[in-house]
Amino acid sequence: MDNNIQQDVNVLIKRRYEELEELKAKGFEPFAYSFDVDSDSEDIKNNFQEEPKRNVKIAGRIMALRRMGKASFTHLQDQKGRIQVYLRKDDIGEAYDAFKLLDIGDIIGVEGFVFKTKTGEISVHVTSMTLLAKSLRPMPIAKEAVDENGNKIIYDQFADKELRYRQRYVDLIVNPEIKDVFLKRSRIITTIRSFLDAGGYLEVETPILQPLYGGAAARPFITHHNTLDTDLYLRIADELYLKRLIVGGFNGVYEISKDFRNEGMDRTHNPEFTMMEIYVSYKDYNWMMSFVESMIHKVCTEVFGTLEFEFEGQKIIFNTPWQRVSMIDAIKEKTGVDVLTAGANELKAVAKKFGADVEGLESKGKLIDEIFSAAVQPDLIQPTFVIDYPLELSPLAKKHRTKEGVVERFEGYVAGREICNAFSELNDPIDQKSRFEGQVKAREEGDDEAHQIDEDFIRALEYGMPPTAGLGVGIDRLVMLLTNQSSIRDVLFFPQMKPEIKK
RNA sequence: GGGCGCGUAGCUCAGGGGUAGAGCAUCUGCCUUUUAAGCAGAGGGUCGGUGGUUCGAAACCACCCGCGCUCACCA
């Protein structure tokens, strides 16, 4: 990194370092220790009064600079937005010498009174100024204007996706509108948490480093513990540990945390992602469907104040109850084929007809899943629960109480995307063991995402797990959906990138 | 991993075998209610990297690196 920094030293940076020295030489501290703030840009604009003059102390980053000899206008940006600030040499004296050495990007604190300029902009007339932090790198600043219709025009906006992701701190400064997505993300998670807490469910933490990984079908990250001299896996799901806690006697436990999957990356996949999983004893998947409906309903109304959303040009309405359709019926409706009774060859033919690539796939369950993904899923626009999945796709879900060959499982789909996955949890240790054995067989046949056998989990079930409903919600994808972002990178502050190369 | 596209000044982008360009940003001078402030002048580049073709390469070719879109994979 040293090399990178050296490399980046150009005239602009060099000049800022020189100014830094000049400020020090003149007795100005370029990196202050604190500053008392009693207002912000939003407050000042919302609570403007002509008389009596209001005195405020604010701090922020210089984002625009218009100097006119012995007086200057600048825009300060704080967490809430921007406010214009007016400085005159007559008012601040020698601090104006320091101000002349400041740049766009520097952070200052000012005290002054609020007034309206000739052109009507609410501004702060500065009576004292303090430099809080000198910025040593040029900010990729964009100029802003407002057109006749009051719309904001941004010129030459910082747009390089790579730089924006790698240096998100800069992105957040110069493209403040993206903050809204992250604010919404935070409020979505807070609202889910308060919904779960209000329901009396216990938030818990389970291991990220696991000797065996399970609870989903995915390739893991492997790491090594030196003292134990053993390889460990970063979890791909929380499921098996949370269910152990249900065995332990908690009635409802949930965890909101990162899972890790060592798979491809694209606009819906990041190697680490946020999952919410909850397990509730004495409930089944029917109960869980209503639970999801009310949780999402609460998120929509509390965070967004609406049930209507736009996602990639489609209108989504989160009315309850959501539509419900069995996977088998949904496929039958689209293809005319009953996948439960159809043979593997027929399934292959159907899959191909709908454009799925099923080369080398023999498993009936996987074929059915391919057909579903290709023929049904893209059309599930309004919130829909797809229920009752083929048994072999769901080694941790309980067999359906009446239907043969399927399990009590549902996935919630919105805008053609899966946003949650839930089952009546399998609590029969004998059945669980044989399902694991089936997975071992699949693994031997080359399915490197098949589950591993977890003997301790079987042992836990042998002690007895009450009937339990379990749910997993992909938080990133939910946030994408509700904030109309089509790339997961735009709902993550720091999406995974290849490391910058050292030269 | 495959296909397509992109990489030129701090930022946004033109240029497309013959001296490296513009706007904004920066610097100097003038300017005490400006707002994409203005006026006058100036500085700033390993044209992603390495090889090759050529009298001459930012441009053409090959390979590499990075990013984006997309397909596959990822239920």
Side-chain angles (χ1 to χ4, degrees):
Chain A
M1 292 312 277
D2 287 332
N3 290 338
N4 284 336
I5 288 164
Q6 286 301 324
Q7 238 184 6
D8 280 350
V9 173
N10 62 21
V11 285
L12 299 176
I13 293 175
K14 204 170 152 207
R15 216 207 75 252
R16 286 179 180 232
Y17 273 88
E18 285 162 6
E19 279 174 347
L20 176 74
E21 291 310 315
E22 207 176 322
L23 282 162
K24 282 188 197 161
K26 288 188 169 168
F28 296 103
E29 169 56 54
F31 299 102
Y33 290 88
S34 68
F35 185 79
D36 285 328
V37 168
D38 67 7
S39 182
D40 61 57
S41 58
E42 191 179 77
D43 166 48
I44 291 170
K45 286 188 266 193
N46 287 347
N47 300 302
F48 175 72
Q49 57 185 30
E50 205 71 61
E51 293 294 341
K53 296 262 185 256
R54 180 181 175 204
N55 201 66
V56 293
K57 289 183 226 168
I58 55 169
R61 194 185 288 276
I62 297 173
M63 295 302 282
L65 210 42
R66 292 179 291 281
R67 295 191 228 250
M68 299 165 299
K70 297 181 184 67
S72 300
F73 285 95
T74 171
H75 272 102
L76 285 195
Q77 177 168 295
D78 62 20
Q79 190 179 313
K80 294 293 180 61
R82 292 187 184 184
I83 182 87
Q84 181 169 257
V85 158
Y86 179 52
L87 302 100
R88 302 193 312 178
K89 187 172 169 68
D90 289 351
D91 299 318
I92 62 172
E94 66 175 14
Y96 200 79
D97 296 336
F99 179 76
K100 284 203 276 195
L101 291 167
L102 298 192
D103 291 296
I104 286 173
D106 290 351
I107 298 168
I108 61 173
V110 298
E111 178 168 5
F113 59 86
V114 182
F115 75 112
K116 219 176 220 177
T117 64
K118 266 190 206 165
T119 51
E121 181 164 354
I122 296 166
S123 309
V124 175
H125 190 129
V126 173
T127 50
S128 76
M129 184 205 84
T130 313
L131 173 57
L132 301 178
K134 179 74 188 149
S135 167
L136 296 171
R137 279 176 180 264
M139 196 64 69
I141 194 78
K143 286 214 171 189
E144 292 182 7
V146 179
D147 68 13
E148 331 56 272
N149 303 321
N151 300 316
K152 196 158 93 167
I153 310 166
I154 302 174
Y155 297 88
D156 301 333
Q157 187 163 28
F158 182 53
D160 185 300
K161 286 257 185 180
E162 179 176 0
L163 286 179
R164 289 180 59 196
Y165 295 144
R166 287 195 194 280
Q167 301 183 43
R168 182 69 92 181
Y169 39 89
V170 174
D171 192 26
L172 288 162
I173 295 165
V174 302
N175 293 321
E177 64 285 352
I178 67 161
K179 275 198 248 181
D180 189 53
V181 170
F182 293 103
L183 244 124
K184 290 274 171 29
R185 180 187 173 109
S186 177
R187 292 181 59 200
I188 288 167
I189 293 171
T190 303
T191 304
I192 288 173
R193 183 173 273 123
S194 73
F195 176 84
L196 298 176
D197 290 342
Y201 309 109
L202 184 71
E203 181 168 19
V204 297
E205 294 174 280
T206 64
I208 292 173
L209 292 173
Q210 304 182 346
L212 287 173
Y213 60 95
R219 285 185 287 267
F221 287 92
I222 304 171
T223 186
H224 187 80
H225 189 282
N226 291 340
T227 301
L228 298 179
D229 190 23
T230 185
D231 282 347
L232 294 169
Y233 302 100
L234 271 60
R235 68 172 164 214
I236 59 171
D238 306 1
E239 174 152 0
L240 299 183
Y241 282 95
L242 290 172
K243 285 200 269 198
R244 283 169 168 96
L245 294 179
I246 295 294
V247 170
F250 292 105
N251 284 342
V253 290
Y254 75 93
E255 185 164 11
I256 299 175
S257 60
K258 289 281 181 76
D259 287 346
F260 308 84
R261 295 188 186 175
N262 206 340
E263 312 270 11
M265 290 163 61
D266 59 30
R267 68 185 198 289
T268 58
H269 296 83
N270 195 66
E272 59 180 283
F273 61 100
T274 301
M275 182 77 102
M276 190 286 283
E277 288 193 32
I278 180 168
Y279 295 83
V280 181
S281 56
Y282 311 117
K283 304 295 186 190
D284 63 11
Y285 79 143
N286 291 308
W287 177 87
M288 190 60 91
M289 280 185 255
S290 316
F291 185 83
V292 169
E293 284 166 351
S294 37
M295 182 173 74
I296 299 295
H297 187 276
K298 177 167 164 138
V299 168
C300 293
T301 51
E302 289 212 354
V303 180
F304 297 89
T306 179
L307 293 177
E308 295 188 13
F309 290 80
E310 169 127 351
F311 183 74
E312 294 182 347
Q314 298 167 116
K315 193 175 176 186
I316 312 289
I317 307 176
F318 284 95
N319 283 333
T320 53
W322 296 13
Q323 296 166 47
R324 296 177 195 201
V325 60
S326 86
M327 189 188 218
I328 308 305
D329 288 349
I331 294 176
K332 197 184 286 174
E333 194 180 308
K334 285 280 175 189
T335 66
V337 177
D338 184 336
V339 291
L340 275 188
T341 55
N345 285 336
E346 189 181 352
L347 290 179
K348 267 195 183 174
V350 174
K352 278 181 189 155
K353 191 176 147 197
F354 284 88
D357 178 15
V358 290
E359 253 353 273
L361 268 189
E362 292 304 326
S363 145
K364 236 184 112 170
K366 295 218 167 187
L367 286 169
I368 292 170
D369 192 50
E370 286 293 334
I371 294 170
F372 174 79
S373 299
V376 180
Q377 186 176 337
D379 295 331
L380 299 174
I381 304 304
Q382 297 308 319
T384 302
F385 289 125
V386 175
I387 65 175
D388 301 342
Y389 281 61
L391 184 140
E392 65 177 297
L393 286 179
S394 318
L396 301 166
K398 211 169 164 65
K399 280 176 185 158
H400 196 280
R401 61 197 76 184
T402 56
K403 294 184 197 164
E404 202 55 41
V406 297
V407 294
E408 294 198 353
R409 171 180 179 182
F410 71 84
E411 290 190 344
Y413 285 90
V414 181
R417 290 151 185 253
E418 177 201 332
I419 61 158
C420 66
N421 180 20
F423 335 127
S424 296
E425 300 295 335
L426 176 53
N427 62 342
D428 173 346
I430 301 159
D431 190 3
Q432 183 65 76
K433 191 166 187 193
S434 80
R435 304 275 198 100
F436 273 142
E437 280 160 358
Q439 290 290 307
V440 169
K441 210 167 158 196
R443 177 172 288 271
E444 280 162 2
E445 284 162 6
D447 183 354
D448 58 356
E449 292 185 340
H451 292 233
Q452 295 177 302
I453 188 156
D454 187 334
E455 301 281 2
D456 177 69
F457 179 65
I458 304 278
R459 180 166 61 190
L461 292 188
E462 283 171 342
Y463 281 101
M465 183 173 86
T468 298
L471 166 75
V473 178
I475 297 293
D476 311 284
R477 292 183 182 179
L478 180 64
V479 173
M480 286 167 66
L481 185 71
L482 297 179
T483 59
N484 196 16
Q485 297 296 317
S486 44
S487 172
I488 196 170
R489 296 184 192 94
D490 293 321
V491 302
L492 300 171
F493 275 129
F494 303 104
Q496 194 60 238
M497 304 282 279
K498 280 207 183 182
E500 290 181 83
I501 343 147
K502 291 188 193 177
K503 300 231 176 94

